[in-house]
Each structure stands twice: as structure tokens, then as C-alpha cells.
Amino acid sequence: MTLLNIEDLSVHYGLKTVLRHVSFTVHQGEGWVIRGVSGSGKTTLARAIAGPDKYTGGLNISYDTRSNLPAKTLFVESWYRFTNLEGDRNFYYQQRYNHQQRRDTVTIARELELYGQTYALDHTRLQALITALDYDRVLDEQLFEISSGEHKKLQLIKALWLRPQLLIIDQPYTGLDVKSRGRLNELLNAYAREGGTLILVSNDTELPACIQHFAVMKNGGFELADAALVFEEKTLKPLPEFLKEPPQYTAPTLIDMKQVHVQYGDKQVLKDIHWQVNAGERWLLQGHNGSGKSTLLSLITGDHPQAYANDIKLFGVQRGAGESIWDIKKRIGLISPELHWYFDANATVLQSLASGFFDSNGLYRQLRYMQKQQLNELLKFLDLYDVKDELLTTLPLGKQRLALLGRTIIKNPQLLVLDEPCQGLDQQQTQYFNKLVDEISKNGVTIIYVGHFETQLPACITHKLVLQDGRAIENTRQ
């Protein structure tokens, strides 16, 4: 039975054509994956199928009236968008660590309860999904407190609890650790066995067995493809001269933590952490979703108030000795999924990169001549110069992330904190960025790199810290 039939579908945003004459058919119970480089039209196609994006051409969904699954199409976005109790999305980055403001959004448990009530869903099935994705431990947390991987799990639990006849998931594995990816594939296979039809928008290779149909998007066009997707390796341009200069270190040891603990009420998030990072070292930070990585990084970047209650020296200065959060941030370049969520939606690409000079959420100051020179060099180096005046949010997700990566390195800081920097990037962009990190590392910059997969890491890594349930279980030199 034909569930989805698309004929000559096109999508235009103003004068820009994003999808061009797409035609294909999906039968009930099939599993599809749609691949392609960032900006090729993958997400636009998914949104057109799920609605309400406008399009020209034919698009028809014919649900099976005999199926036990709801006659619905559900599109799971790459990011989870949520509001506070007043219906506002105006969160700020440090808010997730501020205990006094922890009642601004509903808890995960309440969010799921409301979702179940809306669609009259069976709670027995919900508990099975929570157990499979190891989600019990965050049920009492609020939406803005959890990590990007835990947000993704929430999206997936909702989708698989609803079990629509057609399920479309954009970037299903974003932010998930290795174990969670395997569990997700098992759940997707179970959904397919129940008669569900699945379309994944993903360039990942470790796919569920139910995926048997492959397509690739190229410049808004749609082509059937083999299982393997081969990307051309992107050549790295010569590094801008200012990034060849060594950082101006203010101390030989940048981070010195002794017996660090972080606790919310009875819940311990970090337990007895000892960690020293010296100038020029390049650390890999790993751990499963919820292991404490984001909290540990927030102590370093100055965003967590409990830093003052611990024995922590940053750049040779004891926390609480009078230095401001901006004294810390001016020495650090940071990129993380959470920073991306909270970034100024009205900033252009140029403003986004330039804000890295001032550690601001958008550009609010005039640039000096040398800063303008560095900005232009970096825009050209990252192939973003032609879109520098466009709003960051209008770019494909991968290009948005590249722009924020540029923001991270623009001031050539002492310490780069790269928290899952390639989340949302395709394979080609990931290889390109990691080569960039390797090239930048030659100037002696200190790096903390958070990444789940050994095959998608820079070659320059020299040290490794692994967290499990808030404790360091590995602290080694590579």
C-alpha cells in the first residue's frame, strides 16, 4: 500500500528555490534514510511532508484505516523547542545552573504526563521506553536543566510513545552516546515491526535494520542512492595568520580542580573530581549522557555558581578571589549545543563571529581595524563570507554551527572548549572541522574537546578524561 506519494514537489523561500521537482513514493512499513550535505534540502523536504510548510506540486498521504497505529504524521525536529511556564522561550545560558531559578519550566515527568493526556496514551508503553533509553534519572529535572542528548531522548520517547503511521526524524542520533544509539535502533526496529513507516534525515552509518531505502539530496534535488554515502573530502584553506600566533598564556596551569563536588539537594552531579590541565595540553572529555560533562565544563567557563564553593583555580587564580566571569571568559573560546540554542536569533553571520571578541550573545560593540581584518580573514577561511550579512538562523544548521565555531576561535584564546562542536554537522563538515582543530593546535593552544566517537575526533588529542555518574573513571595521557 502506498502511504506517501510525492510528485514534482518544489519549495521556494522568496526568490530562493530550496527543493526542485522532487518525486518519490513510500509504501507502508518501509524504512527510508535521506542524506546529503548541509543545505541540500533534507530538512525542508521533511517539513514539507509533515506540513505546514508551503510547496508546489503534489503530496498525498494515505493512511491505513486497518492499522493499529494512529493515522498521523509526526516530524521530530533536530532540536527540541520548549517554553517556560509563561509560554516564553527567552532563556539565558547560565539559567540552567542557577538553582534559585529552577522552577521556571515544567519537569520532564510533567511534560510527559501532559503529552500522554493530550493523546490518551498508555503509560505502560511509556515506562518501557524510559527504561530502554535510561531516562528515569532525569524525570525530576526541568527542561532547561538537561543536556542536548537528554533533550533528544525526550523527543524520541514522545514520538515512539505516540507511534504515528508515518514518523520522520531529523538527526535522530544527535547528542546520543554509543549505548543510547544502539538502544534507539532497537526501538526503531520494533516500531517498524508494528507496521510503522520511518523516514530518517541523517548521514549516520549505524542505522536500524528496518532502513532499506536510501536517497540523497543534492542542491534541492532528490536521487535514489546506495547504502553508502561518499563525501568528497574538503580541502582546508591556509590558516589565517592571526591563528598561527601562539596564545598569550597567563599561567602554566590553566585548570586545577581538587575534590570538586556539585550537588542539587540530595542529587550529586559531580563527585570528588581531581583534574589538572596545563598549557598546551589537548584533552578529550567523554562520558555517557548525563554523566556530568556539561556541569564540569560550566565550572571552567564561569557559568556555574557552585564554582565558588569548590577548590578550583582557573588560569592561576583561585575562584572567588575577586575575578569576574568576564575575566575568565576572555581567555576561553567556547562552543556547545546549549550556547547555540540560546544564541541571539537576530544576529547576522558576521555579528555572530564578531561577538567572539567580546564573549557576547550577538555583537553590541564597534570593531577596531585589526578586529575587522581578522573577521574578514576568518569568514573567507570558513567559506562564510558570501553569507556574512544573512541572519544566522536562516542558514542550514551545519553552517550555523560553523559560524559559531568561527566565533570560538576568532580571538585566538588560551583555552578552546569544544563541547560536541560537530553536533549537527555532516561527515564532510566534521572531517573539515577536526582538520581545522588539528591545524590550530600547532600554535600551542590548550583544548578540551567533548566527543562521543573515537572515529570522529581530531588527531591532536593527547589526554583523556572519562566521567561516569559524576566520577572520573579515566584520567590518562593518550
Side-chain angles (χ1 to χ4, degrees):
M1 166 182 175
T2 298
L3 177 67
L4 171 65
N5 186 52
I6 293 177
E7 294 184 0
D8 201 31
L9 183 144
S10 297
V11 172
H12 308 273
Y13 295 150
L15 299 176
K16 184 177 181 180
T17 300
V18 183
L19 294 183
R20 307 171 187 273
H21 310 296
V22 172
S23 298
F24 70 105
T25 299
V26 176
H27 295 97
Q28 182 184 2
E30 290 182 342
W32 284 73
V33 65
I34 299 175
R35 293 169 162 165
V37 299
S38 178
S40 59
K42 308 184 299 296
T43 298
T44 301
L45 176 58
R47 286 180 175 151
I49 295 171
D53 281 15
K54 294 182 179 180
Y55 59 84
T56 60
L59 192 161
N60 184 57
I61 300 176
S62 302
Y63 297 112
D64 183 358
T65 57
R66 300 165 299 174
S67 174
N68 293 324
L69 305 182
K72 296 180 180 294
T73 295
L74 178 65
F75 173 52
V76 178
E77 293 189 83
S78 58
W79 286 4
Y80 186 60
R81 303 178 188 276
F82 60 92
T83 63
N84 63 12
L85 295 175
E86 298 178 353
D88 189 9
R89 292 192 70 250
N90 188 26
F91 301 104
Y92 60 91
Y93 181 68
Q94 293 85 1
Q95 188 171 356
R96 66 192 297 239
Y97 306 113
N98 192 333
H99 183 76
Q100 294 181 346
Q101 299 191 23
R102 295 182 75 214
R103 297 297 149 211
D104 199 37
T105 57
V106 298
T107 64
I108 307 302
R110 180 59 176 163
E111 177 84 356
L112 289 169
E113 180 184 354
L114 294 171
Y115 188 77
Q117 291 174 358
T118 300
Y119 295 103
L121 300 176
D122 176 14
H123 276 260
T124 302
R125 182 179 292 273
L126 171 62
Q127 188 55 52
L129 292 168
I130 288 173
T131 300
L133 290 176
D134 190 24
Y135 211 60
D136 288 279
R137 54 190 168 74
V138 300
L139 293 178
D140 292 331
E141 301 291 335
Q142 287 196 66
L143 288 171
F144 69 72
E145 293 177 311
I146 60 177
S147 68
S148 60
E150 289 159 343
H151 274 124
K152 176 58 70 175
K153 286 184 181 181
L154 179 58
Q155 290 179 289
L156 295 167
I157 286 171
K158 283 184 171 183
L160 292 167
W161 191 15
L162 181 63
R163 295 182 305 148
Q165 288 193 31
L166 177 57
L167 177 56
I168 307 168
I169 309 178
D170 193 358
Q171 306 300 335
Y173 305 103
T174 296
L176 298 187
D177 56 40
V178 175
K179 180 180 178 181
S180 298
R181 287 182 169 221
R183 291 283 182 85
L184 173 60
N185 283 342
E186 293 172 6
L187 293 171
L188 293 175
N189 286 330
Y191 164 76
R193 289 193 295 270
E194 292 182 285
T197 304
L198 182 65
I199 299 177
L200 302 182
V201 177
S202 175
N203 290 321
D204 287 274
T205 55
E206 298 179 14
L207 299 167
C210 63
I211 297 296
Q212 298 176 338
H213 300 271
F214 301 85
V216 62
M217 301 293 297
K218 292 181 180 179
N219 299 319
F222 180 93
E223 301 175 9
L224 297 179
D226 296 327
L229 179 62
V230 179
F231 288 97
E232 294 182 10
E233 186 170 343
K234 188 175 180 181
T235 303
L236 195 66
K237 293 182 178 179
L239 201 65
E241 289 300 318
F242 75 91
L243 288 176
K244 297 179 182 179
E245 295 293 325
Q248 300 300 308
Y249 285 115
T250 54
T253 298
L254 276 59
I255 301 166
D256 191 6
M257 294 185 175
K258 297 175 181 176
Q259 293 183 304
V260 167
H261 297 265
V262 171
Q263 188 166 334
Y264 302 128
D266 295 331
K267 180 182 177 182
Q268 277 200 316
V269 181
L270 292 177
K271 309 166 190 176
D272 196 29
I273 299 295
H274 294 256
W275 191 25
Q276 182 172 302
V277 177
N278 298 314
E281 293 179 346
R282 298 177 292 277
W283 283 82
L284 173 64
L285 175 60
Q286 290 187 314
H288 60 70
N289 297 130
S291 61
K293 300 187 302 296
S294 295
T295 300
L296 181 63
L297 293 180
S298 71
L299 295 171
I300 296 166
T301 58
D303 295 309
H304 203 300
Q306 291 195 34
Y308 297 104
N310 281 282
D311 186 357
I312 301 174
K313 285 185 179 179
L314 298 179
F315 306 99
V317 179
Q318 186 76 31
R319 285 308 317 268
E323 85 292 358
S324 73
I325 187 174
W326 304 111
D327 291 327
I328 296 170
K329 288 185 178 296
K330 69 183 181 182
R331 299 177 171 89
I332 299 175
L334 168 69
I335 180 64
S336 72
E338 290 78 15
L339 185 143
H340 195 166
W341 293 345
Y342 301 124
F343 204 75
D344 186 356
N346 297 313
T348 65
V349 173
L350 183 149
Q351 291 168 339
S352 300
L353 268 76
S355 69
F357 285 121
F358 313 110
D359 308 299
S360 56
N361 190 351
L363 181 62
Y364 313 113
R365 305 188 199 177
Q366 292 294 319
L367 298 177
R368 300 192 302 271
Y369 175 78
M370 287 302 297
Q371 290 174 327
K372 290 179 181 179
Q373 292 293 103
Q374 288 180 211
L375 176 60
N376 284 330
E377 286 183 43
L378 193 54
L379 285 166
K380 293 174 182 177
F381 176 66
L382 296 173
D383 289 326
L384 294 171
Y385 191 83
D386 291 343
V387 294
K388 67 181 189 302
D389 295 321
E390 296 185 22
L391 287 179
L392 180 70
T393 52
T394 63
L395 267 60
L397 181 61
K399 289 186 180 296
Q400 291 183 42
R401 184 54 56 85
L402 284 176
L404 292 181
L405 293 172
R407 176 187 183 273
T408 304
I409 61 178
I410 195 167
K411 62 183 178 182
N412 196 13
Q414 297 178 42
L415 174 64
L416 291 180
V417 177
L418 308 175
D419 185 0
E420 297 192 47
C422 299
Q423 192 178 109
L425 303 189
D426 58 41
Q427 182 180 339
Q428 182 191 50
Q429 289 171 322
T430 297
Q431 292 175 347
Y432 170 71
F433 176 70
N434 286 334
K435 286 167 59 178
L436 168 60
V437 172
D438 286 332
E439 191 67 20
I440 292 174
S441 71
K442 294 177 182 178
N443 74 358
V445 65
T446 307
I447 296 172
I448 300 173
Y449 190 109
V450 181
H452 286 301
F453 305 101
E454 303 289 350
T455 57
Q456 298 179 353
L457 300 173
C460 66
I461 298 298
T462 56
H463 296 66
K464 184 175 183 179
L465 179 69
V466 181
L467 298 183
Q468 180 175 303
D469 299 325
R471 294 186 183 276
I473 62 170
E474 184 178 345
N475 190 335
T476 61
R477 185 180 185 87
Q478 296 285 78

